[in-house]
Amino acid sequence: MKKSLLIGTAALLLISAQASIHPVTVNASSQADKPNINLSGNDNSSNRATTSKVLDISGHWAEHSIMQAINKGYVEGYPDGNFLPNKNVSRAEFVKMTISALGIEVQESNGKWYESYVHAAEAAGIYKAGDLEDTNWTKTLTREEMSKMAVRALGIDQVEDKQWMYLATKNGIMSGTAPGELTPKGSTTRAQAITVIERLLTAKKGDKLAVDKYAVAAAEMYWHKTNIFTVAEEIFNSPENDKYTSVKMGIRSWNINKLTVSSPDKSVVGQVNSLTAIDWNDPKDPNRRLLPSKDKLMLQIGGKQVKFTDDMKVYVLVWDSEMVVNKKPKSYPMNRLNLIVHGYSGNRNGIDRGTPFFDSKRELYGLVIPKENYSTSGELRISIETISLGAPLYASRLSTSILTR
């Protein structure tokens, strides 16, 4: 419970007309993530026909993947010559396609048509009890459910809650429904399912897949309310962290349970809603929408208000926190927590240390982190703490990273 100083970073208060900061979005898109699927909804293959020419996929974004899947024999078109790539796929259909595509042996079953494939998926570790909210296999498959089976099919088993989509995007199996959007609870189409299965087959062969970096960042945010380890990876999640196996470093040190600080009697409780890293030098960064226009984006350095410029090589960390319980408002007058990065110092266009800039309309809090001309003490620590007037400080360390520079 000691008072802390911001070390080597620039405090920033941004102005925006937006009402809230919640960078993880879940909007659907017509060309979602380009995974894909097959099947018609039951096991009666006579109701479907494999065709040399599928009428309704010409020019479709998943045309190549669909034709590959048809040629491999684990998915078929319909008797009328169509494939219906935008039709939703069920959980059972996806399991059958995946098992068939992977060539996993299926034992005969006298139950429902899909039960033998579910049993095969369980035996192969692709599905485990509890992976789905219920056991209704005829329900439409969600994208998050698809990510679970795809990640398990890669042989990854030790996974945290909500980490599935991060691992699926990080490994190139899935991409976003739009830049920076995941739609985890959105439905899955046949085209999307097939694309995912084709990517899974490619990954299983050991081939490298393209990775949608915006999807990975959004998946990290969905997983643990920050994306700093993806967007500013070279600073906060450098390869040096992988050298440590007995202690968790970098992204492995971040724990969502640490995002709350409180006094022993719970009379003061603060929580973190999100910590969003924005690449200032990437005009396509989807989280740029969290920032005001450049002419309103101000930083106070040395008693002067300084506008952002295009040549500033920096990351902008936008910080959203609040006091959810405050029975001592005179001692803790600010409805937010303080963000501190220890062990980092840099100087780019004068950005090294700074003070908040306030605006009567909107307040966004954060830090500016130079990408160039910086040094570290060897250990970077991100912490949060209460803001007080002479009262005890309550703090929590969010992460620890190693970076020697």
Side-chain angles (χ1 to χ4, degrees):
M1 302 199 303
K2 62 179 182 179
K3 296 187 178 181
S4 302
L5 295 176
L6 171 64
I7 300 180
T9 52
L12 172 70
L13 183 61
L14 310 171
I15 308 116
S16 170
Q18 293 177 273
S20 64
I21 309 173
H22 293 294
V24 174
T25 56
V26 290
N27 299 322
S29 170
S30 60
Q31 292 191 5
D33 162 19
K34 305 186 170 101
N36 53 54
I37 281 182
N38 56 4
L39 295 202
S40 69
N42 56 54
D43 66 342
N44 187 356
S45 59
S46 63
N47 289 335
R48 302 185 301 277
T50 301
T51 61
S52 59
K53 182 178 181 181
V54 185
L55 300 177
D56 61 348
I57 66 170
S58 179
H60 192 277
W61 60 263
E63 178 180 4
H64 178 68
S65 293
I66 292 171
M67 290 308 302
Q68 282 188 314
I70 290 175
N71 291 334
K72 291 173 184 177
Y74 68 85
V75 64
E76 298 171 321
Y78 289 87
D80 62 0
N82 289 313
F83 186 81
L84 303 184
N86 298 323
K87 180 182 177 181
N88 287 343
V89 73
S90 71
R91 294 164 170 173
E93 291 170 334
F94 183 75
V95 166
K96 180 177 180 181
M97 287 188 291
T98 303
I99 293 300
S100 299
L102 292 173
I104 296 173
E105 183 179 354
V106 178
Q107 301 295 327
E108 292 292 334
S109 172
N110 295 324
K112 295 179 180 179
W113 69 264
Y114 54 79
E115 288 182 358
S116 58
Y117 296 98
V118 173
H119 295 327
E122 287 184 290
I126 295 173
Y127 164 73
K128 288 190 177 181
D131 282 353
L132 308 177
E133 292 181 357
D134 55 60
T135 55
N136 183 354
W137 286 91
T138 63
K139 277 188 177 180
T140 297
L141 180 78
T142 69
R143 288 168 50 75
E144 186 167 27
E145 290 170 346
M146 179 168 58
S147 73
K148 289 183 179 182
M149 286 188 258
V151 168
R152 288 198 187 281
L154 286 176
I156 303 173
D157 191 45
Q158 300 298 318
V159 182
E160 296 179 17
D161 184 39
K162 290 190 174 183
Q163 191 186 6
W164 300 100
M165 297 199 80
Y166 172 79
L167 293 171
T169 54
K170 184 75 171 178
N171 285 281
I173 303 299
M174 295 178 68
S175 54
T177 55
E181 297 182 4
L182 289 177
T183 324
K185 303 305 179 184
S187 59
T188 304
T189 67
R190 284 161 59 84
Q192 292 172 336
I194 286 173
T195 302
V196 161
I197 292 172
E198 283 298 304
R199 291 176 179 173
L200 176 60
L201 294 175
T202 299
K204 295 281 281 184
K205 290 191 301 181
D207 295 342
K208 190 173 183 179
L209 292 165
V211 174
D212 179 351
K213 66 178 182 179
Y214 300 136
V216 180
E220 185 192 339
M221 181 68 73
Y222 181 66
W223 169 27
H224 57 199
K225 297 187 178 182
T226 190
N227 65 357
I228 63 170
F229 300 103
T230 297
V231 177
E233 183 176 19
E234 75 276 20
I235 295 177
F236 296 108
N237 199 37
S238 74
E240 295 175 54
N241 291 306
D242 296 334
K243 299 175 183 178
Y244 296 84
T245 57
S246 60
V247 62
K248 294 181 178 180
M249 305 294 287
I251 192 171
R252 294 181 293 117
S253 68
W254 184 279
N255 189 321
I256 199 168
N257 295 325
K258 300 177 183 178
L259 301 183
T260 300
V261 295
S262 66
S263 58
D265 61 0
K266 307 297 183 182
S267 62
V268 176
V269 180
Q271 73 176 23
V272 177
N273 297 320
S274 64
L275 173 57
T276 308
I278 302 168
D279 188 343
W280 178 249
N281 309 112
D282 180 4
K284 295 182 179 180
D285 188 320
N287 286 314
R288 287 287 291 262
R289 63 180 177 268
L290 298 178
L291 303 177
S293 58
K294 188 169 61 176
D295 62 321
K296 295 181 180 179
L297 186 60
M298 303 294 295
L299 177 68
Q300 189 163 339
I301 301 176
K304 297 181 180 180
Q305 294 180 4
V306 179
K307 288 185 178 182
F308 271 46
T309 59
D310 292 332
D311 68 328
M312 293 167 56
K313 305 297 183 183
V314 298
Y315 293 112
V316 180
L317 307 187
V318 178
W319 175 243
D320 182 20
S321 63
E322 62 182 318
M323 301 297 292
V324 293
V325 177
N326 190 356
K327 297 180 180 180
K328 301 176 181 179
K330 292 184 178 179
S331 297
Y332 301 91
M334 305 296 290
N335 186 33
R336 63 181 178 89
L337 298 171
N338 195 24
L339 172 67
I340 307 163
V341 178
H342 307 265
Y344 183 96
S345 62
N347 192 325
R348 174 70 183 179
N349 293 358
I351 298 174
D352 188 12
R353 293 170 179 259
T355 55
F357 171 81
F358 294 90
D359 179 79
S360 60
K361 295 181 180 179
R362 181 74 172 107
E363 296 181 353
L364 294 182
Y365 297 88
L367 302 174
V368 174
I369 305 294
K371 296 180 181 179
E372 300 176 343
N373 302 325
Y374 64 83
S375 61
T376 74
S377 63
E379 181 178 280
L380 300 180
R381 290 174 287 114
I382 300 177
S383 301
I384 56 173
E385 66 180 17
T386 53
I387 301 173
S388 70
L389 287 178
L393 294 176
Y394 303 106
S396 175
R397 182 185 296 189
L398 303 185
S399 70
T400 303
S401 301
I402 298 297
L403 181 60
T404 304
R405 179 167 175 171

